[in-house]
């Protein structure tokens, strides 16, 4: 209504949609009023025998299905669907579900909307429906006069309409009332839509906003760390490694030029070339530890398989992913697995380790299982706290099952949308 000319609004699809939304709320509001009344009265009457408590709980939670229905019904007049304000319940039990829902403010806001829909909105919708009926009868009054002839038709009490042409002024009034009803319905629908947004849509509570900003800050820090890591890797690869390669070659040429002329100097050159070669190998291992090239080129499964081949304990890898994951997820998962394998080699005394990985419902799930002695405790400095902190950057989760005597199973879950 604000952004379109009046005549375009009248001849658009919006007036019928607003009429349908408002008038559709009349039977729905009466049904909600009846349901709430029955639940409240029945709950109060039967509370002495215990059954009434369940009815009262049903009345308190009646806004949940109604809120879901209203968010769907709003699609008549609201292009953008309202998201569900409720948090998912990880435990499927009824008690956990009730405890979670009763503790959410959205539940009580939906209950308030249910009472508005039961007491206020039906009256508005009924008024609009009566106006539509009145305007429609006036608009077709010539047809009514013609159809009911020779009976007398009186639109204004005491004044008969002699013939259909005499009813044309009433048709003009009916069209005018219909246009006014269209604008009134648009305004009333806007009020109800704003009320629904206020009561049925998710809200950013102060704590929620603070947590969200902390999450974004943590993600920005992770991105900055990743950028700095890549810069260090690039500098080591293009700078120090190349210089060590050049030094090794220079010492080799010097040893060739010297020949057998001075055995002592030749021995020192050979020794220096060996030290440079070992430094180069250590630097390559360091670069590989910062970020292995195989992870960039071939993905998580290939990188974990390469680590398993070098591990002192036999490791069976079964990682089956349908596609490449985001870089941050692959990097975090890779270093989590390598740290877990290092912990297994140092502390578990295991003879075999198994690593499995699957992608389900947008979450990467990894399980690292060893047949060691068990008893892994984060408080004893086994590196589990560091693993959990690394996963927390991407809102991941680490679950440890390690009874004394083994086996130890680490379950890593990382959302791939992080």
């Amino acid at each position: 209504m604000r952004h379109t000319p009046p005549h375009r609004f009248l001849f658009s699809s919006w007036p019928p949609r607003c009429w349908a939304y408002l008038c559709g709320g009349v039977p729905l509001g009466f049904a909600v009023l009846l349901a709430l009344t029955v639940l409240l009265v029945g709950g109060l009457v039967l509370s002495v025998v215990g059954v009434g408590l369940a009815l009262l709980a049903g009345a308190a939670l009646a806004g949940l299905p109604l809120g879901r229905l209203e968010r769907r019904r709003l699609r008549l007049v609201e292009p953008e669907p309202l998201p569900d304000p409720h948090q998912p319940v990880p435990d499927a039990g009824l008690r956990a579900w009730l405890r979670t829902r009763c503790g959410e403010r959205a539940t009580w806001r939906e209950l308030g909307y249910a009472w508005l829909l039961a007491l206020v909105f039906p009256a508005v919708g009924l008024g609009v429906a009566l106006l539509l009926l009145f305007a429609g009868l006036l608009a077709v009054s010539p047809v009514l006069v013609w159809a009911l002839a020779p009976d007398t038709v009186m639109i204004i009490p005491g004044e008969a309409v002699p013939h259909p042409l005499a009813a044309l002024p009433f048709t003009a009034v009916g069209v005018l009332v219909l246009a006014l009803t269209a604008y009134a319905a648009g305004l009333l629908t806007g009020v109800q839509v704003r009320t629904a947004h206020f009561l049925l849509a998710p809200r950013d509570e102060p704590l929620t906003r603070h947590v969200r900003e902390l999450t974004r800050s943590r993600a920005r820090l992770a991105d900055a760390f990743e950028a700095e890591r890549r810069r260090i890797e690039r500098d080591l690869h293009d700078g120090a490694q190349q210089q060590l390669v050049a030094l090794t070659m220079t010492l080799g040429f010097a040893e060739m030029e010297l020949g057998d002329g001075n055995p002592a100097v030749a021995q020192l050159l050979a020794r220096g070339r060996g030290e440079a070669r070992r430094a180069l190998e250590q630097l390559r291992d360091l670069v590989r530890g910062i970020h292995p090239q195989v992870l960039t080129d071939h993905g998580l499964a290939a990188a974990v398989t390469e680590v398993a081949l070098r591990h002192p304990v036999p490791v069976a890898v079964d990682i089956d992913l349908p596609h490449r994951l985001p870089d941050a997820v692959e990097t975090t998962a890779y270093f989590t697995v390598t740290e877990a394998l290092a912990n297994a080699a140092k502390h578990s005394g295991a003879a075999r380790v198994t690593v499995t990985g699957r992608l389900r419902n947008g979450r990467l799930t990894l399980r690292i299982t060893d047949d060691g002695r068990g008893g892994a405790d984060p408080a004893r400095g086994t590196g589990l706290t560091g693993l959990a902190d690394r996963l927390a950057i991407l809102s991941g989760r680490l679950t440890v099952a390690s009874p004394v005597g083994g086996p130890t199973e680490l379950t890593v879950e990382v959302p791939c949308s992080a």
Side-chain angles (χ1 to χ4, degrees), residues 92-373:
L94 178 61
R95 181 176 298 179
W97 184 85
L98 288 173
R99 183 170 58 250
T100 302
R101 291 294 176 257
C102 290
E104 291 179 327
R105 296 183 180 181
T107 301
W108 306 108
R109 291 198 298 268
E110 288 176 334
L111 180 61
Y113 186 87
W115 282 108
L116 282 177
L117 186 62
L119 300 176
V120 179
F121 294 161
V124 174
L126 187 60
V128 171
L130 292 177
L131 274 177
L132 281 175
L133 179 61
F134 176 67
L137 290 176
L138 288 178
V140 299
S141 56
V143 178
L144 293 177
V145 172
W146 173 79
L148 296 176
D151 294 337
T152 302
V153 176
M154 290 185 296
I155 298 177
I156 298 177
E159 296 185 10
V161 181
H163 52 81
L165 292 179
L168 288 179
F170 297 104
T171 299
V173 173
V175 172
L176 179 61
V177 173
L178 194 65
L180 294 177
T181 305
Y183 284 108
L187 292 173
L188 293 172
T189 300
V191 172
Q192 290 198 23
V193 169
R194 286 183 177 272
T195 304
H197 273 274
F198 182 73
L199 295 176
L200 301 182
R203 282 193 194 176
D204 281 341
E205 306 292 345
L207 181 60
T208 303
R209 289 196 298 269
H210 184 61
V211 170
R212 185 172 299 166
E213 181 57 32
L214 287 177
T215 303
R216 291 172 179 170
S217 301
R218 186 174 61 186
R220 288 193 295 267
L221 287 175
D223 292 340
F225 168 76
E226 183 69 12
E228 183 66 14
R229 180 197 58 73
R230 291 185 180 274
R231 185 191 65 79
I232 295 173
E233 177 190 4
R234 183 177 60 253
D235 291 346
L236 289 176
H237 184 273
D238 297 337
Q241 281 197 75
Q242 300 302 324
Q243 292 176 3
L244 283 174
V245 171
L247 175 60
T248 303
M249 295 177 63
T250 302
L251 291 175
F253 289 144
E255 187 179 1
M256 291 173 60
E257 290 292 334
L258 184 63
D260 298 331
N262 193 331
V265 174
Q267 185 178 2
L268 289 175
L269 289 174
R271 180 179 175 183
R273 189 158 60 93
E275 293 291 341
R277 187 183 299 110
R278 283 189 291 274
L280 180 61
E281 292 174 356
Q282 292 178 0
L283 186 59
R284 284 173 176 167
D285 291 338
L286 176 62
V287 171
R288 187 183 298 112
I290 293 176
H291 190 82
Q293 190 63 34
V294 66
L295 180 62
T296 302
D297 295 341
H298 302 289
L300 180 64
V304 172
T305 301
E306 184 185 55
V307 172
L309 294 176
R310 303 194 310 265
H311 199 263
V313 178
V315 180
V317 179
D318 179 18
I319 299 179
D320 186 12
L321 304 176
H323 52 76
R324 292 291 300 270
L325 306 179
D327 292 341
V329 175
E330 284 191 341
T331 302
T332 300
Y334 170 78
F335 285 109
T336 301
V337 172
T338 55
E339 184 70 19
L341 291 178
N343 288 340
K346 292 179 182 177
H347 306 290
S348 70
R352 183 174 179 82
V353 182
T354 302
V355 180
T356 61
R358 296 292 185 271
L359 185 64
R360 294 189 179 92
N361 299 324
R363 296 180 69 89
L364 172 65
T365 302
L366 295 169
R367 286 185 174 84
I368 303 99
T369 307
D370 66 66
D371 57 357
R373 65 178 66 95

Side-chain angles (χ1 to χ4, degrees), residues 79-97:
E80 295 294 330
L82 289 186
D84 192 341
H86 298 285
Q87 298 295 326
V89 182
D91 191 353
L94 178 61
R95 181 176 298 179
W97 184 85

